[in-house]
Amino acid sequence: MPSSTSRTLTIFIGAMLLILAVLITASIGGIAAVDIIRSYSGGATYYAKGHLSGVASLRRYAATGSPEDLHRYRRDIYLPASLGIARDILEQPDLPVGNSYPFLIGGNIHPEDAAGIAWMYRIFSATALLDPAAQLWRDADLEVLRIDALADKLQRAWAEAPSDRPARERLLAEVETVDARLSDIEDRFSRQLGELARSIARLVGAGLAGLAVVLATLVLALGKRTQLRLALAQRAIHEREERFRDVADMAADWIWETDEQLRFSFFSDRVERAIGAPKETLLGKSRREAAHVEDADAWRRHMDDMAAHRPFHGFEYAFRRPSGELRHFRASGKPVFDGDGRFVGYRGTSTDVTEEVAARRAVAANSALLETVFENMAQGISVVGADLKARAFNTRFLDLLGFPRDRFRIGDPFEAFIRYNAERGEYGDVDVEAHVARALEAARRFEPHAVARIRPDGTVLEIRGQPMPGGGFVTTYTDITELRRATRDLQTAKIAAETANLAKSTFLANMSHELRTPLNAVIGFADLMAEERFGPLGPRYTGYARDIRQSGQHLLGVINDILDIARVEAGKIDLTVAPVAPISVVEGCFRMLRQRALEAGVGLRNEVPAGAPPLHADMQRLRQIILNLVGNAIKFSQEGAEVLVQYVEAGSSNGLRVVDRGIGIPDHLIDSAFEPFTQLHAGFSRRYDGAGLGLPLVRHFMDLHGGTVSLESAPGAGTTVTVLFPAEPAVAPAAATAARR
């Protein structure tokens, strides 16, 4: 009995140990399988997250062309791509399992989970247990490759045709289609993992139930442990599904759904930031009821699409926030049908494109403004591209060159314009083909050019061409016919004026000589009579003789001034320039003017230093300059005033300054003071005599010396006139006067 009991106990213990071993083995296997399934679920989540983030970046890249968005896409899509490479390695039995570990880890699989995932796939991928999930994985990898190929096409589209937006939208539509298939595969993969976990749970449960007859307590404990692990696995799967939905919410600005009456039944939370109000304010409304209608035709087409249950993409509409701010949204959606094919509503995404719409409208407004300016310019303008085809031209260009308005279009070759002109004789009697060939050869050099061309109708065109940075050129056409005619008339008038001026100067010179000869005789005889050389005349006639002498001397001075001006203008005055001591020449002029100053009650003061450097001047003309300037100062000074003459230096020039405190000259009349025969105080009541030749002579003489004369004055404050002579005598002193004429 003991032996039997012992055997029984031994068998029982052996059976217990065997059952325990089987139980332990089954438990360990089940736990490991569940843990590996958890790892698969985690990998599926990272796979979906990488795919969704990559597609989101690809959408932004399709809209902006930003290299940063493309880089983010490449980074995000690497996760599913890396997991796909690992699967491919595991399906090749001749490759070591360890080769797949780096790619599993690259897909965000924890390094400690990589081995379990790899071995489970290598062993069970072909079994009924894991084959459905493996096939879904293969299908998902194919869709990822399709997305990546579309990304490459988008990159080429941006590089080759950045302005071809419709092409990018078509590519993006293909991406959305592949994205939808891939999302569906990922959903099925997640469900398959859940089913796999449940299958393993059932198998483990059935095994444990069979062993519970002999080891209930052990089976119960093991069953609880297994159920706990399964619950954890299911919770992880549920959390992964929640994360998947969160990622889906972030894939677009916001997600929306409608019911079969096209009224909104769901919004993701992001819509509140776009509309500036709780999302509940839009639930139960249709899009048209909520929107601000701007384009009735676009809305009619959109409503037709929805009424026909057709998918739509990129529909833009306006929305007014409660604050009054107008925003613009872009929506895309597709119809949803139940298992019986019955329409149940729409599902889609929307994006706030307010800034994009504003930018588009600003560009359109600027383009319209530029086109208006372009068409209304007085000049004709044409733009030819690097391919020598017309890119733009305005109506003025056609009119100036006499082209029929319906003859040419944008895109016509430059050759067609040249040939048309040559054939109608615009360039004269030329060989048409040879002329066209020469014109094209010159145009291909894209060099700046400016020519004046006379058309057969007599119109003169100024043609100026400038090359553009990328090739081609812009040409302007200006009608200068009237300008040419005016220039020609002006030249004729100038020659006539110069001829008349020369004739005037010659006449004045001749007449001055003719007048001066008898006038000298008058002055001489008047002088003899005033001095009573041949006997007394009586006080009355003596006074008359003095008046005759004074008037004759005044008239002789005027005639001498006229003669000097005529000689200067005729270029018949020669200078003898030599160093002249300024103090002595000023003192000599003061002696000649002292009697006049005494009669006017005006004092004269010579402030030129005794050691002042000499002036390089003609002595006779310098004396005339000082006499004219000091004489004017005496004439326009009040009784009791004083006239000063000072020495001045300015840079390399030196000269004299005449200062008075007389009546002064208004600022607007200063320039007129240098014009011949100008009387600044003219009229029947003028108080000051003179022919108005003093200052003009001073300027002419200073021009002959190559010097300058300047005048500063103000009414009631007096006048200051400064004459400056060059340090070296002028080489061609008459040049300045000739230039002034």
mmCIF file with all atom_site columns, all heavy atoms in Angstrom, residues 677-698:
data_model
loop_
_atom_site.group_PDB
_atom_site.id
_atom_site.type_symbol
_atom_site.label_atom_id
_atom_site.label_alt_id
_atom_site.label_comp_id
_atom_site.label_asym_id
_atom_site.label_entity_id
_atom_site.label_seq_id
_atom_site.pdbx_PDB_ins_code
_atom_site.Cartn_x
_atom_site.Cartn_y
_atom_site.Cartn_z
_atom_site.occupancy
_atom_site.B_iso_or_equiv
_atom_site.pdbx_formal_charge
_atom_site.auth_seq_id
_atom_site.auth_comp_id
_atom_site.auth_asym_id
_atom_site.auth_atom_id
_atom_site.pdbx_PDB_model_num
ATOM 1   N N   . PHE A 1 677 ? 21.311 147.152 -69.774 1.00 0.00 ? 677 PHE A N   1
ATOM 2   C CA  . PHE A 1 677 ? 20.247 148.148 -69.898 1.00 0.00 ? 677 PHE A CA  1
ATOM 3   C C   . PHE A 1 677 ? 19.095 147.909 -68.929 1.00 0.00 ? 677 PHE A C   1
ATOM 4   O O   . PHE A 1 677 ? 17.975 148.350 -69.160 1.00 0.00 ? 677 PHE A O   1
ATOM 5   C CB  . PHE A 1 677 ? 19.700 148.197 -71.337 1.00 0.00 ? 677 PHE A CB  1
ATOM 6   C CG  . PHE A 1 677 ? 20.756 148.428 -72.379 1.00 0.00 ? 677 PHE A CG  1
ATOM 7   C CD1 . PHE A 1 677 ? 21.180 147.373 -73.187 1.00 0.00 ? 677 PHE A CD1 1
ATOM 8   C CD2 . PHE A 1 677 ? 21.351 149.671 -72.536 1.00 0.00 ? 677 PHE A CD2 1
ATOM 9   C CE1 . PHE A 1 677 ? 22.160 147.567 -74.140 1.00 0.00 ? 677 PHE A CE1 1
ATOM 10  C CE2 . PHE A 1 677 ? 22.333 149.863 -73.497 1.00 0.00 ? 677 PHE A CE2 1
ATOM 11  C CZ  . PHE A 1 677 ? 22.750 148.824 -74.301 1.00 0.00 ? 677 PHE A CZ  1
ATOM 12  N N   . THR A 1 678 ? 19.358 147.178 -67.841 1.00 0.00 ? 678 THR A N   1
ATOM 13  C CA  . THR A 1 678 ? 18.307 146.923 -66.849 1.00 0.00 ? 678 THR A CA  1
ATOM 14  C C   . THR A 1 678 ? 18.327 148.020 -65.801 1.00 0.00 ? 678 THR A C   1
ATOM 15  O O   . THR A 1 678 ? 19.385 148.317 -65.215 1.00 0.00 ? 678 THR A O   1
ATOM 16  C CB  . THR A 1 678 ? 18.511 145.559 -66.162 1.00 0.00 ? 678 THR A CB  1
ATOM 17  O OG1 . THR A 1 678 ? 18.415 144.533 -67.151 1.00 0.00 ? 678 THR A OG1 1
ATOM 18  C CG2 . THR A 1 678 ? 17.451 145.332 -65.090 1.00 0.00 ? 678 THR A CG2 1
ATOM 19  N N   . GLN A 1 679 ? 17.160 148.652 -65.560 1.00 0.00 ? 679 GLN A N   1
ATOM 20  C CA  . GLN A 1 679 ? 17.020 149.674 -64.535 1.00 0.00 ? 679 GLN A CA  1
ATOM 21  C C   . GLN A 1 679 ? 16.164 149.089 -63.419 1.00 0.00 ? 679 GLN A C   1
ATOM 22  O O   . GLN A 1 679 ? 14.968 148.855 -63.592 1.00 0.00 ? 679 GLN A O   1
ATOM 23  C CB  . GLN A 1 679 ? 16.355 150.932 -65.113 1.00 0.00 ? 679 GLN A CB  1
ATOM 24  C CG  . GLN A 1 679 ? 17.191 151.675 -66.148 1.00 0.00 ? 679 GLN A CG  1
ATOM 25  C CD  . GLN A 1 679 ? 18.376 152.387 -65.515 1.00 0.00 ? 679 GLN A CD  1
ATOM 26  O OE1 . GLN A 1 679 ? 18.423 152.572 -64.305 1.00 0.00 ? 679 GLN A OE1 1
ATOM 27  N NE2 . GLN A 1 679 ? 19.337 152.769 -66.347 1.00 0.00 ? 679 GLN A NE2 1
ATOM 28  N N   . LEU A 1 680 ? 16.782 148.806 -62.259 1.00 0.00 ? 680 LEU A N   1
ATOM 29  C CA  . LEU A 1 680 ? 16.033 148.203 -61.156 1.00 0.00 ? 680 LEU A CA  1
ATOM 30  C C   . LEU A 1 680 ? 15.097 149.210 -60.499 1.00 0.00 ? 680 LEU A C   1
ATOM 31  O O   . LEU A 1 680 ? 14.166 148.834 -59.804 1.00 0.00 ? 680 LEU A O   1
ATOM 32  C CB  . LEU A 1 680 ? 16.993 147.637 -60.107 1.00 0.00 ? 680 LEU A CB  1
ATOM 33  C CG  . LEU A 1 680 ? 17.954 146.553 -60.617 1.00 0.00 ? 680 LEU A CG  1
ATOM 34  C CD1 . LEU A 1 680 ? 18.802 146.028 -59.469 1.00 0.00 ? 680 LEU A CD1 1
ATOM 35  C CD2 . LEU A 1 680 ? 17.187 145.411 -61.270 1.00 0.00 ? 680 LEU A CD2 1
ATOM 36  N N   . HIS A 1 681 ? 15.355 150.502 -60.726 1.00 0.00 ? 681 HIS A N   1
ATOM 37  C CA  . HIS A 1 681 ? 14.492 151.548 -60.143 1.00 0.00 ? 681 HIS A CA  1
ATOM 38  C C   . HIS A 1 681 ? 13.944 152.400 -61.276 1.00 0.00 ? 681 HIS A C   1
ATOM 39  O O   . HIS A 1 681 ? 14.088 153.627 -61.311 1.00 0.00 ? 681 HIS A O   1
ATOM 40  C CB  . HIS A 1 681 ? 15.283 152.413 -59.153 1.00 0.00 ? 681 HIS A CB  1
ATOM 41  C CG  . HIS A 1 681 ? 15.904 151.606 -58.057 1.00 0.00 ? 681 HIS A CG  1
ATOM 42  N ND1 . HIS A 1 681 ? 15.223 151.195 -56.936 1.00 0.00 ? 681 HIS A ND1 1
ATOM 43  C CD2 . HIS A 1 681 ? 17.166 151.094 -57.954 1.00 0.00 ? 681 HIS A CD2 1
ATOM 44  C CE1 . HIS A 1 681 ? 16.031 150.506 -56.154 1.00 0.00 ? 681 HIS A CE1 1
ATOM 45  N NE2 . HIS A 1 681 ? 17.222 150.423 -56.758 1.00 0.00 ? 681 HIS A NE2 1
ATOM 46  N N   . ALA A 1 682 ? 13.312 151.714 -62.279 1.00 0.00 ? 682 ALA A N   1
ATOM 47  C CA  . ALA A 1 682 ? 12.844 152.401 -63.480 1.00 0.00 ? 682 ALA A CA  1
ATOM 48  C C   . ALA A 1 682 ? 11.519 153.092 -63.239 1.00 0.00 ? 682 ALA A C   1
ATOM 49  O O   . ALA A 1 682 ? 10.858 152.907 -62.218 1.00 0.00 ? 682 ALA A O   1
ATOM 50  C CB  . ALA A 1 682 ? 12.727 151.392 -64.629 1.00 0.00 ? 682 ALA A CB  1
ATOM 51  N N   . GLY A 1 683 ? 11.139 153.876 -64.232 1.00 0.00 ? 683 GLY A N   1
ATOM 52  C CA  . GLY A 1 683 ? 9.855  154.579 -64.153 1.00 0.00 ? 683 GLY A CA  1
ATOM 53  C C   . GLY A 1 683 ? 10.058 156.073 -64.255 1.00 0.00 ? 683 GLY A C   1
ATOM 54  O O   . GLY A 1 683 ? 11.169 156.597 -64.248 1.00 0.00 ? 683 GLY A O   1
ATOM 55  N N   . PHE A 1 684 ? 8.949  156.779 -64.315 1.00 0.00 ? 684 PHE A N   1
ATOM 56  C CA  . PHE A 1 684 ? 9.033  158.234 -64.454 1.00 0.00 ? 684 PHE A CA  1
ATOM 57  C C   . PHE A 1 684 ? 9.598  158.894 -63.196 1.00 0.00 ? 684 PHE A C   1
ATOM 58  O O   . PHE A 1 684 ? 10.117 159.995 -63.246 1.00 0.00 ? 684 PHE A O   1
ATOM 59  C CB  . PHE A 1 684 ? 7.639  158.812 -64.767 1.00 0.00 ? 684 PHE A CB  1
ATOM 60  C CG  . PHE A 1 684 ? 7.140  158.419 -66.123 1.00 0.00 ? 684 PHE A CG  1
ATOM 61  C CD1 . PHE A 1 684 ? 6.095  157.513 -66.261 1.00 0.00 ? 684 PHE A CD1 1
ATOM 62  C CD2 . PHE A 1 684 ? 7.721  158.944 -67.267 1.00 0.00 ? 684 PHE A CD2 1
ATOM 63  C CE1 . PHE A 1 684 ? 5.639  157.154 -67.509 1.00 0.00 ? 684 PHE A CE1 1
ATOM 64  C CE2 . PHE A 1 684 ? 7.256  158.585 -68.512 1.00 0.00 ? 684 PHE A CE2 1
ATOM 65  C CZ  . PHE A 1 684 ? 6.218  157.692 -68.638 1.00 0.00 ? 684 PHE A CZ  1
ATOM 66  N N   . SER A 1 685 ? 9.486  158.168 -62.065 1.00 0.00 ? 685 SER A N   1
ATOM 67  C CA  . SER A 1 685 ? 9.918  158.774 -60.799 1.00 0.00 ? 685 SER A CA  1
ATOM 68  C C   . SER A 1 685 ? 11.266 158.270 -60.339 1.00 0.00 ? 685 SER A C   1
ATOM 69  O O   . SER A 1 685 ? 11.642 158.460 -59.207 1.00 0.00 ? 685 SER A O   1
ATOM 70  C CB  . SER A 1 685 ? 8.873  158.490 -59.710 1.00 0.00 ? 685 SER A CB  1
ATOM 71  O OG  . SER A 1 685 ? 8.766  157.097 -59.494 1.00 0.00 ? 685 SER A OG  1
ATOM 72  N N   . ARG A 1 686 ? 12.039 157.613 -61.227 1.00 0.00 ? 686 ARG A N   1
ATOM 73  C CA  . ARG A 1 686 ? 13.285 157.035 -60.740 1.00 0.00 ? 686 ARG A CA  1
ATOM 74  C C   . ARG A 1 686 ? 14.258 158.160 -60.401 1.00 0.00 ? 686 ARG A C   1
ATOM 75  O O   . ARG A 1 686 ? 14.357 159.171 -61.095 1.00 0.00 ? 686 ARG A O   1
ATOM 76  C CB  . ARG A 1 686 ? 13.875 156.054 -61.749 1.00 0.00 ? 686 ARG A CB  1
ATOM 77  C CG  . ARG A 1 686 ? 14.551 156.606 -62.972 1.00 0.00 ? 686 ARG A CG  1
ATOM 78  C CD  . ARG A 1 686 ? 15.026 155.428 -63.818 1.00 0.00 ? 686 ARG A CD  1
ATOM 79  N NE  . ARG A 1 686 ? 15.523 155.882 -65.106 1.00 0.00 ? 686 ARG A NE  1
ATOM 80  C CZ  . ARG A 1 686 ? 16.807 156.053 -65.379 1.00 0.00 ? 686 ARG A CZ  1
ATOM 81  N NH1 . ARG A 1 686 ? 17.702 155.836 -64.445 1.00 0.00 ? 686 ARG A NH1 1
ATOM 82  N NH2 . ARG A 1 686 ? 17.195 156.440 -66.581 1.00 0.00 ? 686 ARG A NH2 1
ATOM 83  N N   . ARG A 1 687 ? 15.025 157.958 -59.347 1.00 0.00 ? 687 ARG A N   1
ATOM 84  C CA  . ARG A 1 687 ? 15.892 158.987 -58.787 1.00 0.00 ? 687 ARG A CA  1
ATOM 85  C C   . ARG A 1 687 ? 17.331 158.836 -59.238 1.00 0.00 ? 687 ARG A C   1
ATOM 86  O O   . ARG A 1 687 ? 18.153 159.709 -58.990 1.00 0.00 ? 687 ARG A O   1
ATOM 87  C CB  . ARG A 1 687 ? 15.835 158.929 -57.258 1.00 0.00 ? 687 ARG A CB  1
ATOM 88  C CG  . ARG A 1 687 ? 14.458 159.175 -56.674 1.00 0.00 ? 687 ARG A CG  1
ATOM 89  C CD  . ARG A 1 687 ? 14.409 158.756 -55.205 1.00 0.00 ? 687 ARG A CD  1
ATOM 90  N NE  . ARG A 1 687 ? 15.562 159.305 -54.486 1.00 0.00 ? 687 ARG A NE  1
ATOM 91  C CZ  . ARG A 1 687 ? 15.993 158.836 -53.309 1.00 0.00 ? 687 ARG A CZ  1
ATOM 92  N NH1 . ARG A 1 687 ? 15.370 157.806 -52.770 1.00 0.00 ? 687 ARG A NH1 1
ATOM 93  N NH2 . ARG A 1 687 ? 17.032 159.393 -52.717 1.00 0.00 ? 687 ARG A NH2 1
ATOM 94  N N   . TYR A 1 688 ? 17.696 157.668 -59.847 1.00 0.00 ? 688 TYR A N   1
ATOM 95  C CA  . TYR A 1 688 ? 19.102 157.391 -60.112 1.00 0.00 ? 688 TYR A CA  1
ATOM 96  C C   . TYR A 1 688 ? 19.321 157.279 -61.612 1.00 0.00 ? 688 TYR A C   1
ATOM 97  O O   . TYR A 1 688 ? 18.607 156.550 -62.307 1.00 0.00 ? 688 TYR A O   1
ATOM 98  C CB  . TYR A 1 688 ? 19.517 156.091 -59.418 1.00 0.00 ? 688 TYR A CB  1
ATOM 99  C CG  . TYR A 1 688 ? 19.161 156.072 -57.950 1.00 0.00 ? 688 TYR A CG  1
ATOM 100 C CD1 . TYR A 1 688 ? 18.033 155.380 -57.495 1.00 0.00 ? 688 TYR A CD1 1
ATOM 101 C CD2 . TYR A 1 688 ? 19.930 156.782 -57.028 1.00 0.00 ? 688 TYR A CD2 1
ATOM 102 C CE1 . TYR A 1 688 ? 17.704 155.384 -56.156 1.00 0.00 ? 688 TYR A CE1 1
ATOM 103 C CE2 . TYR A 1 688 ? 19.594 156.788 -55.678 1.00 0.00 ? 688 TYR A CE2 1
ATOM 104 C CZ  . TYR A 1 688 ? 18.487 156.096 -55.240 1.00 0.00 ? 688 TYR A CZ  1
ATOM 105 O OH  . TYR A 1 688 ? 18.152 156.096 -53.925 1.00 0.00 ? 688 TYR A OH  1
ATOM 106 N N   . ASP A 1 689 ? 20.346 158.021 -62.104 1.00 0.00 ? 689 ASP A N   1
ATOM 107 C CA  . ASP A 1 689 ? 20.624 157.974 -63.526 1.00 0.00 ? 689 ASP A CA  1
ATOM 108 C C   . ASP A 1 689 ? 21.481 156.764 -63.848 1.00 0.00 ? 689 ASP A C   1
ATOM 109 O O   . ASP A 1 689 ? 21.902 156.023 -62.976 1.00 0.00 ? 689 ASP A O   1
ATOM 110 C CB  . ASP A 1 689 ? 21.327 159.269 -63.971 1.00 0.00 ? 689 ASP A CB  1
ATOM 111 C CG  . ASP A 1 689 ? 22.639 159.488 -63.198 1.00 0.00 ? 689 ASP A CG  1
ATOM 112 O OD1 . ASP A 1 689 ? 22.931 158.669 -62.293 1.00 0.00 ? 689 ASP A OD1 1
ATOM 113 O OD2 . ASP A 1 689 ? 23.338 160.470 -63.513 1.00 0.00 ? 689 ASP A OD2 1
ATOM 114 N N   . GLY A 1 690 ? 21.774 156.559 -65.106 1.00 0.00 ? 690 GLY A N   1
ATOM 115 C CA  . GLY A 1 690 ? 22.605 155.442 -65.550 1.00 0.00 ? 690 GLY A CA  1
ATOM 116 C C   . GLY A 1 690 ? 21.897 154.626 -66.602 1.00 0.00 ? 690 GLY A C   1
ATOM 117 O O   . GLY A 1 690 ? 20.653 154.576 -66.668 1.00 0.00 ? 690 GLY A O   1
ATOM 118 N N   . ALA A 1 691 ? 22.713 153.973 -67.466 1.00 0.00 ? 691 ALA A N   1
ATOM 119 C CA  . ALA A 1 691 ? 22.144 153.169 -68.559 1.00 0.00 ? 691 ALA A CA  1
ATOM 120 C C   . ALA A 1 691 ? 21.973 151.707 -68.191 1.00 0.00 ? 691 ALA A C   1
ATOM 121 O O   . ALA A 1 691 ? 21.509 150.914 -69.000 1.00 0.00 ? 691 ALA A O   1
ATOM 122 C CB  . ALA A 1 691 ? 23.048 153.290 -69.796 1.00 0.00 ? 691 ALA A CB  1
ATOM 123 N N   . GLY A 1 692 ? 22.370 151.347 -66.989 1.00 0.00 ? 692 GLY A N   1
ATOM 124 C CA  . GLY A 1 692 ? 22.241 149.943 -66.588 1.00 0.00 ? 692 GLY A CA  1
ATOM 125 C C   . GLY A 1 692 ? 23.279 149.051 -67.213 1.00 0.00 ? 692 GLY A C   1
ATOM 126 O O   . GLY A 1 692 ? 23.003 147.877 -67.504 1.00 0.00 ? 692 GLY A O   1
ATOM 127 N N   . LEU A 1 693 ? 24.514 149.587 -67.413 1.00 0.00 ? 693 LEU A N   1
ATOM 128 C CA  . LEU A 1 693 ? 25.570 148.787 -68.052 1.00 0.00 ? 693 LEU A CA  1
ATOM 129 C C   . LEU A 1 693 ? 26.730 148.479 -67.111 1.00 0.00 ? 693 LEU A C   1
ATOM 130 O O   . LEU A 1 693 ? 27.649 147.749 -67.486 1.00 0.00 ? 693 LEU A O   1
ATOM 131 C CB  . LEU A 1 693 ? 26.104 149.526 -69.289 1.00 0.00 ? 693 LEU A CB  1
ATOM 132 C CG  . LEU A 1 693 ? 25.102 149.727 -70.423 1.00 0.00 ? 693 LEU A CG  1
ATOM 133 C CD1 . LEU A 1 693 ? 25.724 150.618 -71.496 1.00 0.00 ? 693 LEU A CD1 1
ATOM 134 C CD2 . LEU A 1 693 ? 24.693 148.393 -71.001 1.00 0.00 ? 693 LEU A CD2 1
ATOM 135 N N   . GLY A 1 694 ? 26.729 149.073 -65.916 1.00 0.00 ? 694 GLY A N   1
ATOM 136 C CA  . GLY A 1 694 ? 27.870 148.897 -65.017 1.00 0.00 ? 694 GLY A CA  1
ATOM 137 C C   . GLY A 1 694 ? 28.102 147.459 -64.609 1.00 0.00 ? 694 GLY A C   1
ATOM 138 O O   . GLY A 1 694 ? 29.177 146.889 -64.847 1.00 0.00 ? 694 GLY A O   1
ATOM 139 N N   . LEU A 1 695 ? 27.110 146.839 -63.954 1.00 0.00 ? 695 LEU A N   1
ATOM 140 C CA  . LEU A 1 695 ? 27.264 145.445 -63.509 1.00 0.00 ? 695 LEU A CA  1
ATOM 141 C C   . LEU A 1 695 ? 27.416 144.477 -64.671 1.00 0.00 ? 695 LEU A C   1
ATOM 142 O O   . LEU A 1 695 ? 28.214 143.534 -64.593 1.00 0.00 ? 695 LEU A O   1
ATOM 143 C CB  . LEU A 1 695 ? 26.086 145.045 -62.618 1.00 0.00 ? 695 LEU A CB  1
ATOM 144 C CG  . LEU A 1 695 ? 26.131 145.608 -61.188 1.00 0.00 ? 695 LEU A CG  1
ATOM 145 C CD1 . LEU A 1 695 ? 24.869 145.221 -60.424 1.00 0.00 ? 695 LEU A CD1 1
ATOM 146 C CD2 . LEU A 1 695 ? 27.359 145.120 -60.431 1.00 0.00 ? 695 LEU A CD2 1
ATOM 147 N N   . PRO A 1 696 ? 26.659 144.617 -65.793 1.00 0.00 ? 696 PRO A N   1
ATOM 148 C CA  . PRO A 1 696 ? 26.909 143.717 -66.925 1.00 0.00 ? 696 PRO A CA  1
ATOM 149 C C   . PRO A 1 696 ? 28.346 143.783 -67.420 1.00 0.00 ? 696 PRO A C   1
ATOM 150 O O   . PRO A 1 696 ? 28.946 142.760 -67.751 1.00 0.00 ? 696 PRO A O   1
ATOM 151 C CB  . PRO A 1 696 ? 25.916 144.200 -67.985 1.00 0.00 ? 696 PRO A CB  1
ATOM 152 C CG  . PRO A 1 696 ? 24.801 144.801 -67.206 1.00 0.00 ? 696 PRO A CG  1
ATOM 153 C CD  . PRO A 1 696 ? 25.444 145.438 -66.020 1.00 0.00 ? 696 PRO A CD  1
ATOM 154 N N   . LEU A 1 697 ? 28.933 145.021 -67.480 1.00 0.00 ? 697 LEU A N   1
ATOM 155 C CA  . LEU A 1 697 ? 30.332 145.126 -67.897 1.00 0.00 ? 697 LEU A CA  1
ATOM 156 C C   . LEU A 1 697 ? 31.262 144.422 -66.911 1.00 0.00 ? 697 LEU A C   1
ATOM 157 O O   . LEU A 1 697 ? 32.220 143.755 -67.305 1.00 0.00 ? 697 LEU A O   1
ATOM 158 C CB  . LEU A 1 697 ? 30.725 146.603 -68.020 1.00 0.00 ? 697 LEU A CB  1
ATOM 159 C CG  . LEU A 1 697 ? 30.560 147.216 -69.416 1.00 0.00 ? 697 LEU A CG  1
ATOM 160 C CD1 . LEU A 1 697 ? 30.889 148.695 -69.374 1.00 0.00 ? 697 LEU A CD1 1
ATOM 161 C CD2 . LEU A 1 697 ? 31.422 146.493 -70.435 1.00 0.00 ? 697 LEU A CD2 1
ATOM 162 N N   . VAL A 1 698 ? 30.976 144.592 -65.612 1.00 0.00 ? 698 VAL A N   1
ATOM 163 C CA  . VAL A 1 698 ? 31.799 143.917 -64.595 1.00 0.00 ? 698 VAL A CA  1
ATOM 164 C C   . VAL A 1 698 ? 31.778 142.410 -64.823 1.00 0.00 ? 698 VAL A C   1
ATOM 165 O O   . VAL A 1 698 ? 32.808 141.734 -64.798 1.00 0.00 ? 698 VAL A O   1
ATOM 166 C CB  . VAL A 1 698 ? 31.299 144.270 -63.181 1.00 0.00 ? 698 VAL A CB  1
ATOM 167 C CG1 . VAL A 1 698 ? 31.982 143.383 -62.143 1.00 0.00 ? 698 VAL A CG1 1
ATOM 168 C CG2 . VAL A 1 698 ? 31.557 145.736 -62.872 1.00 0.00 ? 698 VAL A CG2 1
#
